[in-house]
Amino acid sequence: LLSTILAVQQKSSRFNMTTRFTPSSIEVSNLARVLSPQGRFDAHEAPTFRDDVAAVIADGSKSLIINLQDVVFIDSTALAELVSAQRAMVAADGTFSLLNPTVAVRVILEVTGLISVFTIAP
Amino acid sequence: MNATLLSTTMESTALALCDSPGVSAVSIRSGKRVKSYGECNGVPRASWSLGSNVHVEVWGDEAPAVDAMIELARMVDLREQEIHDLAEALTNANDRQIRLFELGRLTADSLDQIQTVQKVLRYAAALTDSDEAVVLMRPTTSEWMLNARIETPEPCETGWLGPCAIDAARSGNLRPTTISGHRQMLIAEVPGDDVAYLLIVGKTSEVTYGTAERKILNALAMSLSSSLRLISLHESTMQSAVMENEHATCTALTSAVLQTSLPVMHGIEFAAQTVPARNVGGDFYSAIVADGSVRFVVGDVAGKGLPAAVLMTNAITAANYIFTHSADPEATAVQLLQQISDALEPLLISTNRFITMVVGIAVPDVNNPGAVHLSMANAGHSPVVLRQAGVASLIPPLSPPVGVGHRATGSGFCAILEGDDSLFIGSDGLLEQPNNIGDHFGQERLNDLISQHEVAAALVRNVFDAVSAFGEDQPASDDQTVFLLRPRHCRDSADVEMVQS
């Protein structure tokens, strides 16, 4: 997983971030996928995120990374989606991790206690 | 016959005859009016009467005069036939105009689809002089099928149109068609969204359908399309109204579980308020007096609206039951949180939701009136602010929210509130309230408000007023809740005695 995360960090400058969830899935290894929400990650984005996660699981991917480096705000609905995505990946014998949460996101993860629930890097 | 027109026709014909070789004069008498052309002297060579009104006489050589009379009679007969045909055509056009006028009122008088289709079919058959009319329909993923059919009272031949129309629809040939013998078929597409329709008329006749019939059928197809859209719109509006009514009922039912007043307990002062972002929300609070203490819960279901509200009712029901029926009267706040979590966890996991909540127990100190012993377990809720000796501090979570799958462990948080100390529990909707330039209300502004030395109810009002004023024109992005607990100051010896008792 660490090598996958490092690969994502190295490739992150080449991500196409024209819209909030595009590209919805970036292959960084044979089995890992990355979703990169941007801006406000809230109830409006939750259905798209849920669909993208479902597509990743249906694709047979065994590692899902959520790159949060461009998320400026996250609400409880989006947090619930992250918890749900992690649960779904674990049920599919996969791994789930958060990457580069911004200060705003990290604070929310701390005050809700969810920081102990996720694998977060760095 | 139009006598004036006939007379005029004969006059012009007679005038032309005067110039014919062998014809010296012509006289035409129509009623009392006589018109002569040439010298009408002596006995006329020939005469001819049309009914009792018109009488014609011709002078000149005998043979040309007879020929002239025959020519005149032929001309009159011809004009008579033309006038008759013209009158009949005018009558038919007038009848059609009346039917088309009635057609214009077709869309407004019924919202029943079967009745409307049947009416259009009757008009289609009548206005196109057809024996039979049918409507075919094709749902999005299905084949063409017969939707409705009518035949005129005295048809030449019927029953063949439906099968022939389906064959034509499947082949995509929608042009006017002669099937076999004298069977004629005319097809018009009915514009629609999800379901495609075809309006088709047929007759057994030597006379083929013309441009007029085609235009009339297209107009009827457009009319049918409008009617079907109107009916569909009406049905969806009715469904929306039913759903709105059910939503309002659910809103009332879920709102009913929220406490309208908090319990009264000597030595403790409460105030609380929750304002949903929509009609109903997922924020909640509850406080119950049990075993000489106040057990309370303040929570926030992830998400908004009715789904969050339904889970909120489950959370309140579970908390209130556990508060009042807990087997162990000495149960700690952490133990109460664990019991509530155990009750809600399966439902929350199956619905992919979680609930942040604070569970607390407040007990007035009988040996120290004006002091309250407080113990709490915070499952991911924020903001939870304890103000002691003028200093505000955030109470960190003991565990992640309920529904995440992590059970709360440990001893929770304990404190003694005295004097102006207070416990303030809000919801994230307060901190996330945006203003017109996109700033959020934030924790610092909230801390300033909590420092005010107001009575609990006034302080709660002040918080909501300040958040509302900060938000300017911006609607609340999330449910907002305030729950405030502080020691009640004893004002006289009687109060002290009541607290001690």
Side-chain angles (χ1 to χ4, degrees):
Chain A
L1 178 62
L2 183 61
S3 62
T4 301
I5 291 169
L6 290 173
V8 171
Q9 286 178 319
Q10 286 167 1
K11 291 186 179 185
S12 61
S13 60
R14 290 194 282 123
F15 288 176
N16 176 7
M17 297 291 190
T18 52
T19 58
R20 299 171 80 111
F21 282 99
T22 57
S24 61
S25 177
I26 300 171
E27 187 169 338
V28 294
S29 73
N30 287 337
L31 296 173
R33 298 288 186 277
V34 178
L35 297 179
S36 302
Q38 287 186 293
R40 288 178 66 89
F41 186 16
D42 54 21
H44 291 101
E45 310 306 326
T48 308
F49 179 81
R50 198 179 309 142
D51 291 345
D52 287 347
V53 170
V56 168
I57 293 171
D59 203 25
S61 300
K62 292 299 179 187
S63 177
L64 176 57
I65 298 167
I66 310 301
N67 185 359
L68 298 169
Q69 67 180 9
D70 293 310
V71 173
V72 297
F73 173 83
I74 190 165
D75 74 353
S76 60
T77 304
L79 290 172
E81 290 299 330
L82 291 178
V83 172
S84 175
Q86 172 169 267
R87 192 175 288 138
M89 283 302 294
V90 170
D93 293 327
T95 62
F96 181 88
S97 54
L98 305 182
L99 177 66
N100 288 332
T102 55
V103 172
V105 174
R106 188 174 282 275
V107 166
I108 297 294
L109 291 172
E110 285 172 354
V111 299
T112 56
L114 287 169
I115 201 150
S116 64
V117 173
F118 297 113
T119 300
I120 301 175
Chain B
M1 182 185 298
N2 187 318
T4 305
L5 182 61
L6 179 62
S7 175
T8 306
T9 305
M10 290 179 72
E11 279 179 28
S12 59
T13 306
L15 198 59
L17 284 175
C18 281
D19 296 332
S20 301
V23 176
S24 59
V26 176
S27 170
I28 300 171
R29 181 161 50 84
S30 177
K32 294 180 178 178
R33 183 164 164 264
V34 179
K35 273 201 171 184
S36 299
Y37 304 91
E39 296 293 329
C40 304
N41 296 325
V43 179
R45 289 290 182 187
S47 64
W48 181 73
S49 295
L50 183 65
S52 58
N53 278 336
V54 183
H55 186 73
V56 182
E57 293 175 324
V58 179
W59 284 264
D61 297 338
E62 189 172 352
V66 172
D67 289 344
M69 283 304 301
I70 291 170
E71 177 63 18
L72 185 62
R74 194 182 67 79
M75 293 293 290
V76 169
D77 281 345
L78 195 62
R79 294 293 180 272
E80 184 183 6
Q81 186 60 46
E82 287 175 354
I83 289 166
H84 181 268
D85 291 347
L86 184 60
E88 190 173 323
L90 283 170
T91 305
N92 288 340
N94 191 44
D95 289 348
R96 244 175 215 178
Q97 197 172 16
I98 291 169
R99 287 177 189 170
L100 286 171
F101 176 73
E102 290 175 10
L103 183 65
R105 299 184 300 184
L106 181 66
T107 57
D109 64 355
S110 175
L111 287 171
D112 182 279
Q113 183 164 335
I114 295 173
Q115 283 182 8
T116 301
V117 171
Q118 289 286 332
K119 193 169 184 179
V120 169
L121 286 175
R122 283 197 299 275
Y123 271 88
L127 290 171
T128 59
D129 293 325
S130 299
D131 298 327
E132 194 175 359
V134 298
V135 166
L136 302 186
M137 65 176 289
R138 185 183 62 186
T140 314
T141 56
S142 302
E143 284 291 325
W144 286 104
M145 61 182 73
L146 190 65
N147 177 249
R149 170 186 175 276
I150 63 112
E151 60 184 45
T152 52
E154 294 177 353
C156 294
E157 181 191 12
T158 59
W160 58 270
L161 183 59
C164 290
I166 289 175
D167 288 344
R170 285 177 179 168
S171 68
N173 177 20
L174 304 184
R175 288 173 298 179
T177 309
T178 300
I179 312 294
S180 61
H182 297 302
R183 288 175 178 174
Q184 315 285 331
M185 184 165 68
L186 192 58
I187 303 176
E189 288 185 82
V190 181
D193 297 326
D194 299 331
V195 180
Y197 289 94
L198 291 175
L199 175 60
I200 302 165
V201 291
K203 64 181 178 180
T204 303
S205 168
E206 294 180 9
V207 182
T208 57
Y209 287 114
T211 306
E213 283 81 10
R214 206 174 307 162
K215 286 183 176 177
I216 287 171
L217 198 66
N218 283 335
L220 282 162
M222 293 299 293
S223 173
L224 180 58
S225 172
S226 301
S227 297
L228 293 176
R229 282 174 196 269
L230 184 67
I231 291 166
S232 174
L233 185 65
H234 174 72
E235 286 175 353
S236 62
T237 305
M238 289 293 289
Q239 285 174 355
S240 296
V242 169
M243 286 187 68
E244 210 168 285
N245 187 39
E246 289 176 353
H247 194 277
T249 305
C250 288
T251 298
L253 288 172
T254 52
S255 301
V257 302
L258 288 170
Q259 284 179 324
T260 52
S261 62
L262 291 166
V264 176
M265 186 163 196
H266 288 286
I268 301 178
E269 183 182 8
F270 296 105
Q273 187 177 350
T274 184
V275 178
R278 301 176 188 168
N279 287 341
V280 69
D283 281 9
F284 63 94
Y285 62 83
S286 181
I288 285 178
V289 175
D291 302 321
S293 65
V294 175
R295 295 173 173 183
F296 61 89
V297 60
V298 182
D300 177 3
V301 180
K304 291 184 280 290
L306 200 51
V310 172
L311 288 172
M312 176 269 285
T313 61
N314 279 273
I316 288 186
T317 306
N320 287 349
Y321 182 84
I322 288 164
F323 287 166
T324 53
H325 293 83
S326 176
D328 181 7
E330 300 298 320
T332 65
V334 176
Q335 289 169 330
L336 292 175
L337 172 62
Q338 288 171 341
Q339 292 175 39
I340 294 170
S341 180
D342 291 344
L344 296 174
E345 196 90 10
L347 176 63
L348 293 172
I349 289 174
S350 67
T351 54
N352 285 326
R353 302 264 180 167
F354 62 66
I355 304 177
T356 66
M357 67 170 71
V358 176
V359 175
I361 302 172
V363 185
D365 189 335
V366 292
N367 299 316
N368 182 16
V372 174
H373 290 258
L374 183 68
S375 63
M376 287 190 300
N378 180 4
H381 196 81
S382 178
V384 184
V385 182
L386 186 70
R387 187 171 175 276
Q388 279 184 305
V391 178
S393 54
L394 280 170
I395 307 301
L398 176 69
S399 68
V402 175
V404 173
H406 288 233
R407 205 161 194 261
T409 55
S411 57
F413 179 86
C414 295
I416 298 176
L417 303 184
E418 294 178 297
D420 291 327
D421 294 349
S422 62
L423 171 69
F424 177 95
I425 305 174
S427 64
D428 52 4
L430 295 170
L431 306 182
E432 293 168 6
Q433 173 64 54
N435 63 7
N436 286 346
I437 59 172
D439 287 342
H440 292 158
F441 189 74
Q443 187 68 52
E444 285 187 17
R445 290 186 181 86
L446 191 62
N447 286 345
D448 291 343
L449 285 167
I450 295 170
S451 301
Q452 294 174 357
H453 297 278
E454 294 275 6
V455 294
L459 186 52
V460 169
R461 273 198 307 274
N462 287 352
V463 170
F464 275 100
D465 289 346
V467 171
S468 176
F470 174 83
E472 299 172 305
D473 304 327
Q474 297 299 314
S477 61
D478 200 356
D479 310 327
Q480 298 176 344
T481 296
V482 171
F483 180 91
L484 191 74
L485 182 153
R486 59 174 30 167
R488 182 189 294 275
H489 300 294
C490 299
R491 294 184 178 81
D492 52 39
S493 57
D495 278 349
V496 175
E497 287 172 9
M498 289 180 75
V499 171
Q500 288 177 333
S501 65

